[in-house]
C-alpha cells in the first residue's frame, strides 16, 4: 500500500532526527554542531514532507495539536521500539497506523465522492444550456468548434493532439500548448470520454469535451483529480494514424 510506505518513511525521518537530538558534550567544537539555520531548514522540510502527505491523501482538516502531541510522545518515548511495552506509551497504538489511516482515507474518499457527484449533476444541467453543446447517450457533452476534415479516428486509432484539461471551476490541471509538439495517444488506452469524443472530430478539428466522472476517472479519481470529478477538455485533433490489424501467418 502506497500510503503505508509514505507513513513509514516519515516515521523513519522523525526517528532519525530524534535519535540525533542528544546533549552537547562539553569541549566539543561548536562548528561540528548544526547551525540554527540548518536546524530551521530541516524542521521546515519535515513540515513540507508532512504537508505533502496531508494534501496528497486528502486528509482534510486534521488536528495539528494532536500531530504535535504525537511527535512529542514519540520523541520522548522510553525504551526499545522492538519491546512489546514500547507502544503502551502512546494514546493510540502506532502498530495500528495502517488500519486507522486507511479507514480514514477510505471514509474521506467516500464523502468527497458523494459531494462531488451531487455537484456534477448540477454542473451538467448548466453545461447542457450552453449554445451548441450536444449530449450523447453515454452522458458525454461536447461542443464542436471546428469539425475538421473527413479523416476521423476509430476506437483503436492513434491520434496526435493538443489539449487543455480543466476542472469545472476553470482550474487548469495540465496543458499541451499550441506552440508545443502535439502528443500521441491511442484511443483504446485513454479514458472513455476521450475515446468517444475524439471520434466526432476530423483532422484539424477543435472541440470542448465535458466529460462526466463516469467517462473519466470515476469514483476513485487520479492524482490531483478528486473522486467523481467532471473534466473539461479543449482539444485540437492535429492528425490521425489509422490502426492496421497485424497480418495472420
Amino acid at each position: 500500500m502506497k500510503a503505508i510506505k509514505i507513513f513509514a518513511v516519515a516515521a523513519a525521518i522523525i526517528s532519525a532526527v530524534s535519535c540525533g537530538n542528544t546533549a552537547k558534550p562539553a569541549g566539543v567544537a561548536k562548528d561540528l554542531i548544526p547551525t540554527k539555520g540548518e536546524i530551521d531548514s530541516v524542521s521546515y522540510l519535515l513540515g513540507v514532507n508532512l504537508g505533502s502527505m496531508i494534501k496528497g491523501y486528502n486528509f482534510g482538516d486534521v488536528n495539528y495539536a494532536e500531530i504535535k502531541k504525537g511527535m512529542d510522545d514519540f520523541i520522548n518515548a522510553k525504551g526499545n521500539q522492538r519491546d512489546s511495552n514500547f507502544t503502551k506509551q502512546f494514546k493510540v497504538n502506532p502498530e495500528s497506523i495502517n488500519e486507522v489511516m486507511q479507514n480514514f482515507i477510505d471514509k474521506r474518499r467516500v464523502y468527497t465522492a458523494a459531494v462531488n457527484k451531487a455537484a456534477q449533476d448540477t454542473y451538467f444541467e448548466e453545461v447542457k444550456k450552453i449554445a451548441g453543446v450536444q449530449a450523447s447517450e453515454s452522458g458525454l457533452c461536447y461542443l464542436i468548434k471546428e469539425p475538421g476534415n473527413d479523416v476521423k479516428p476509430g476506437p483503436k486509432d492513434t491520434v496526435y493532439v493538443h489539449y487543455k484539461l480543466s476542472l469545472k471551476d476553470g482550474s487548469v490541471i495540465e496543458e499541451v500548448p499550441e506552440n508545443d509538439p502535439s502528443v500521441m495517444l491511442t484511443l483504446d488506452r485513454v479514458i472513455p470520454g476521450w475515446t468517444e469524443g475524439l471520434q466526432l472530430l476530423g483532422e484539424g478539428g477543435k472541440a470542448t469535451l465535458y466529460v462526466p466522472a463516469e467517462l473519466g476517472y470515476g469514483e476513485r479519481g487520479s492524482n490531483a483529480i478528486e473522486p467523481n470529478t467532471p473534466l473539461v477538455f479543449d482539444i485540437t485533433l492535429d492528425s490521425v494514424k489509422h490502426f492496421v490489424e497485424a497480418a495472420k501467418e
Side-chain angles (χ1 to χ4, degrees):
M1 186 72 63
K2 183 180 178 182
I4 296 172
K5 290 181 180 178
I6 292 182
F7 298 142
V9 169
I13 293 173
I14 293 172
S15 178
V17 172
S18 66
C19 288
N21 186 21
T22 57
K24 304 174 182 64
V28 175
K30 289 186 177 180
D31 59 0
L32 298 179
I33 303 170
T35 65
K36 181 182 182 301
E38 290 171 330
I39 293 172
D40 289 348
S41 295
V42 168
S43 302
Y44 178 79
L45 291 175
L46 282 170
V48 169
N49 182 71
L50 182 58
S52 71
M53 290 167 51
I54 293 171
K55 184 175 182 179
Y57 285 91
N58 191 27
F59 280 121
D61 296 325
V62 295
N63 188 332
Y64 289 94
E66 286 298 300
I67 290 176
K68 178 64 164 58
K69 177 172 172 49
M71 293 173 60
D72 289 342
D73 287 351
F74 183 86
I75 291 171
N76 296 321
K78 307 298 183 183
N80 191 319
Q81 295 182 46
R82 297 181 180 180
D83 190 322
S84 59
N85 291 320
F86 182 81
T87 57
K88 295 179 180 179
Q89 303 176 76
F90 300 96
K91 177 180 175 180
V92 180
N93 188 343
E95 292 180 353
S96 67
I97 187 170
N98 293 347
E99 179 183 358
V100 173
M101 292 288 190
Q102 199 60 54
N103 286 343
F104 184 85
I105 291 170
D106 290 343
K107 196 167 187 177
R108 284 279 305 171
R109 183 172 62 244
V110 170
Y111 169 78
T112 301
V115 171
N116 287 347
K117 174 61 176 171
Q120 173 177 272
D121 293 343
T122 302
Y123 173 68
F124 271 92
E125 290 176 4
E126 297 302 315
V127 166
K128 291 175 182 178
K129 297 177 183 178
I130 299 174
V133 167
Q134 302 178 65
S136 70
E137 292 183 2
S138 69
L140 176 70
C141 289
Y142 56 93
L143 175 62
I144 305 296
K145 298 176 178 177
E146 296 179 23
N149 62 26
D150 293 333
V151 181
K152 294 185 176 181
K156 293 185 178 181
D157 289 346
T158 297
V159 295
Y160 294 82
V161 297
H162 285 86
Y163 71 90
K164 179 175 69 175
L165 166 59
S166 306
L167 301 181
K168 61 184 177 64
D169 65 358
S171 302
V172 178
I173 300 299
E174 59 185 44
E175 183 177 9
V176 181
E178 289 293 334
N179 56 345
D180 285 358
S182 56
V183 295
M184 179 184 74
L185 300 165
T186 305
L187 289 188
D188 61 355
R189 298 179 182 177
V190 293
I191 59 172
W194 267 61
T195 304
E196 179 181 352
L198 265 293
Q199 293 182 74
L200 302 172
L201 289 175
E203 288 184 333
K206 299 177 183 291
T208 297
L209 304 180
Y210 301 91
V211 181
E214 295 81 0
L215 302 178
Y217 294 102
E219 294 182 351
R220 298 198 65 84
S222 175
N223 297 326
I225 300 172
E226 292 186 347
N228 282 344
T229 296
L231 307 173
V232 182
F233 290 95
D234 292 297
I235 300 175
T236 300
L237 175 57
D238 298 314
S239 61
V240 176
K241 182 179 179 181
H242 290 301
F243 173 78
V244 178
E245 192 77 46
K248 297 181 179 180
E249 296 182 358

